[in-house]
Amino acid sequence: MWALRGGRCLRAAWSWGGSRLARGATGGRQIDQNPEWQLEEQKPLPQKKVTMELLDHLERLALVDFRNWEGVERLEKAIQFADQLHEVNTEGIEPMDSVLENRCLYLRGDNITEGNCTKELLQNASQTAEEYFEAPPGNIPLPKLEERESFLQDSN
Amino acid sequence: MLRAALREVSTALKEGQVSPTELCQRCLSLIKATKCLNAYITVTEDTALRQAEESEKRYRRGQSLGDLDGIPVAVKDNFSTTGIETTCASNMLKGYIPPYNATVVQKLLDQGAVLIGKTNLDEFAMGSGSTDGIFGPVRNPWSYSKQYREKCGQNSHLENEDSSWLITGGSSGGSAAAVSSFTCFAALGSDTGGSTRNPAAHCGVVGLKPTYGLVSRHGLIPLVNSMDVPGILTRCVDDAATVLGVLAGHDPKDSTTVQDPFNPFKLPSVIDVGKLCIGIPKEYHIPGLSSETLKVWSKAADLFENAGARVIEVSLPHTCYSIVCYHVLCAAEVASNMARFDGLEYGHRSNMDKSTESMYAATRREGFNDVVRGRILSGNYFLLKQNYEKYFIKAQKVRRLIANDFVNVFSSGVDVLLTPTTLRDAVPYVEFIKEDNRTRSAQDDIFTQAANMSAFLHNLGGVRNLCLKNIQVLLYSRQSLTSDLYKKIYVNLSKEYGFKVCIWEEASNLPTQGPIQERAEKPSLQVCTSTEHKWLQHYFLTGNAKPDQI
């Protein structure tokens, strides 16, 4: 006879369900409906909001704009969600960046195996000149945050 | 014929009962008839018919290329396909025509498969509903099933059919809907946090997420490089194994594919689960898990126990942090991956020409939806110099703890883990969009993403159409104990599985061959309004009608 049984779970922003799942009685397969742990209700947003400087910095780095306050709020919620990680004790734990970390990955020989495909590569670019991709003038920073919105809107 | 499993239709092709062209045409007409599902972004009618014709010639010469020759398949629209538009359901790639095939697409074509179309998804595969792409949401074929319409009839706010239709889950919802509505025999999806398994569960088809490193990602437009894998959607597990056999193996164009030799396999028909140890992770019992799912989950466990397997409770203590960890790692990799879309070399380009930087910014503003922009911005935040240790490295450490949980459980002698795939059944679209994409993904990926981060090998989800098949998969995990790569198997069961398990229990004389019998016994469509729906209904009820007969 098998039944779900309660036990311990690490507590983060998740709180204990607190109950044990009853072992099924002989013949019946009763399972307690109380879960193991709970996802706590989203707390109200913390007082500390992201600053205008940060927003400006992120927009320049990401080259996408928040567009409106909903976008900013989305970031604040994403940070708040991520903050739950700080409740995990990771002392002495090495970061893991690939599931193949213990394997020797394939490296091909440093030889040219394909090429001569300029035409194919250029055909998906909307502006080209001779055999080049064509870009507008470079080395001009984005306008300041307050002017950026109207500036970018011109393009729509 | 369209309702047959891949293996059966393959036999029919070999025996000449149906020709590849005829099969292709029937699929194409069914695609037209089920257009309301919005499963396809591009239907490649002409090339498909040409490929079918080639296949026909091969059959006539007696030189068929194998089990997939002449079989119509669909591919998610984030795999590159030579000469066929590949959009990722984004304005950013609208009109983009790749000059090369993804390795997995090429492998299918090399086996003679007929590419019938490119399927719908969430923009850049970011989502769990297939509701957030520029081509609109995908409708779940089961919205038009008898069971569901009956349920709606009892519920006054669901009576209106135009608003009660169900989502497919995502992000490979188009592929799942395509397989589920019989418009193709297999489809490719992609799985980063559950994007193949989730819609498979919701649409009642098999979803296989192969181990990271087993199937090439070359040509799959990347979302999270360290977790993306091409996924397989079919109507039964045998078919998934067949397709995996074709796709798997080292690819010199993807350095993260492992070089171990891969031997394609067939699932055996006799199963002995007696030597299996099945683990039930207790932390997967969480609030929000619907009572039906819970019931089916325990029923499945009971079933294994009754069949002689040892079923034990196990603990994966870091489960509750897994979705948070995934959220950070995913955003960080998205931020870096999406940097490639700047309007210069391919894809959308804004008319803004004041400076390069402003052209980039305007292009990306016009090209990405809110969800994609949101993940890029939060990813950039987590990667800021002052946040790198605090969020990104921290998440990578938590990732190791999560992976270690799996290592500990599997090294304690557990062969297979049995968990639900999703918290509950597919919900109506109107319900689903009440929450934003991030919240939904956090709920819907909760049981699936841990596997992407930990690489536990073959995840199966959503196996409604199967009876004996599911258990065969478990045996497969035992069989492969010889190979390091296949040591572990991690099986997600959808609640639909339990439904089938019941059938297996009560009628174990059911044929082992796939869904045909079941579909025929349980006609699934009844109430439909528009012509398209009527057709779909008729088709599901009778199984052999052609559109012009209505």
Side-chain angles (χ1 to χ4, degrees), chain B residues 328-351:
Chain B
V328 173
L329 295 177
C330 174
E333 290 203 43
V334 160
S336 127
N337 261 325
M338 294 291 136
R340 79 190 67 218
F341 298 103
D342 56 19
L344 273 185
E345 300 94 344
Y346 43 76
H348 174 72
R349 173 171 176 154
S350 167
N351 293 325

Side-chain angles (χ1 to χ4, degrees), chain B residues 398-409:
Chain B
V398 176
R399 180 180 188 175
R400 182 175 303 280
L401 289 172
I402 293 162
N404 285 348
D405 282 353
F406 283 97
V407 172
N408 293 339
V409 161

Side-chain angles (χ1 to χ4, degrees), chain A residues 20-93:
Chain A
R20 288 171 71 86
L21 303 177
R23 276 206 174 274
T26 325
R29 304 200 168 180
Q30 185 198 350
I31 286 183
D32 189 85
Q33 294 300 303
N34 290 321
E36 189 73 10
W37 40 270
Q38 301 200 349
L39 176 54
E40 271 180 11
E41 291 293 308
Q42 282 264 335
K43 292 166 218 151
L45 283 180
Q47 291 300 308
K48 201 181 130 206
K49 300 240 175 193
V50 290
T51 61
M52 290 306 277
E53 289 76 28
L54 182 67
L55 293 183
D56 179 48
H57 187 48
L58 283 175
E59 285 196 352
R60 281 176 194 277
L61 282 175
L63 284 168
V64 295
D65 58 329
F66 284 93
R67 194 171 282 211
N68 48 34
W69 282 108
E70 269 171 50
V72 178
E73 209 177 295
R74 205 172 291 130
L75 174 70
E76 283 168 345
K77 281 187 181 160
I79 298 170
Q80 195 193 341
F81 191 69
D83 277 333
Q84 295 174 54
L85 284 180
H86 302 309
E87 303 185 26
V88 191
N89 179 4
T90 51
E91 201 152 327
I93 304 293

Side-chain angles (χ1 to χ4, degrees), chain B residues 489-534:
Chain B
I489 182 170
Y490 173 77
V491 177
N492 277 312
L493 284 187
S494 76
K495 62 166 281 193
E496 305 301 341
Y497 175 90
F499 174 68
K500 282 297 160 242
V501 169
C502 295
I503 288 185
W504 180 54
E505 272 184 316
E506 288 151 23
S508 50
N509 59 342
L510 270 182
T512 53
Q513 290 303 320
I516 306 173
Q517 192 81 3
E518 204 277 325
R519 291 274 189 189
E521 279 169 6
K522 289 183 183 292
S524 39
L525 294 194
Q526 201 172 48
V527 187
C528 291
T529 46
S530 76
T531 328
E532 280 174 350
H533 295 174
K534 260 194 194 120

Side-chain angles (χ1 to χ4, degrees), chain B residues 167-355:
Chain B
I167 58 147
T168 52
S171 64
S172 311
S175 291
V179 171
S180 171
S181 60
F182 308 115
T183 55
C184 62
F185 292 88
L188 294 185
S190 61
D191 196 310
T192 305
S195 280
T196 291
R197 288 160 288 157
N198 175 295
H202 284 331
C203 292
V205 296
V206 178
L208 175 74
K209 170 209 162 290
T211 309
Y212 186 89
L214 182 63
V215 177
S216 169
R217 294 181 294 117
H218 173 71
L220 165 63
I221 294 166
L223 173 64
V224 181
N225 300 56
S226 75
M227 299 180 207
D228 289 343
V229 288
I232 299 164
L233 295 117
T234 56
R235 293 200 282 270
C236 72
V237 173
D238 273 344
D239 294 353
T242 305
V243 178
L244 182 66
V246 168
L247 301 185
H250 174 65
D251 176 11
K253 288 180 174 169
D254 176 0
S255 64
T256 58
T257 48
V258 297
Q259 288 172 278
D260 307 25
F262 174 80
N263 298 318
F265 55 91
K266 268 198 175 144
L267 300 170
S269 51
V270 182
I271 313 136
D272 174 18
V273 297
K275 290 172 197 146
L276 278 187
C277 177
I278 315 260
I280 309 289
K282 60 183 181 182
E283 290 85 2
Y284 278 57
H285 184 209
I286 60 169
L289 186 68
S290 76
S291 55
E292 293 95 357
T293 309
L294 181 60
K295 207 156 74 194
V296 163
W297 187 18
S298 15
K299 192 153 190 174
D302 285 343
L303 175 81
F304 282 118
E305 192 170 56
N306 295 341
R310 198 158 67 91
V311 180
I312 58 167
E313 183 185 270
V314 297
S315 176
L316 300 166
H318 295 89
T319 298
C320 42
Y321 301 109
S322 162
I323 190 70
V324 186
C325 174
Y326 174 74
H327 163 78
V328 173
L329 295 177
C330 174
E333 290 203 43
V334 160
S336 127
N337 261 325
M338 294 291 136
R340 79 190 67 218
F341 298 103
D342 56 19
L344 273 185
E345 300 94 344
Y346 43 76
H348 174 72
R349 173 171 176 154
S350 167
N351 293 325
M352 163 69 70
D353 56 0
K354 288 175 195 158
S355 70

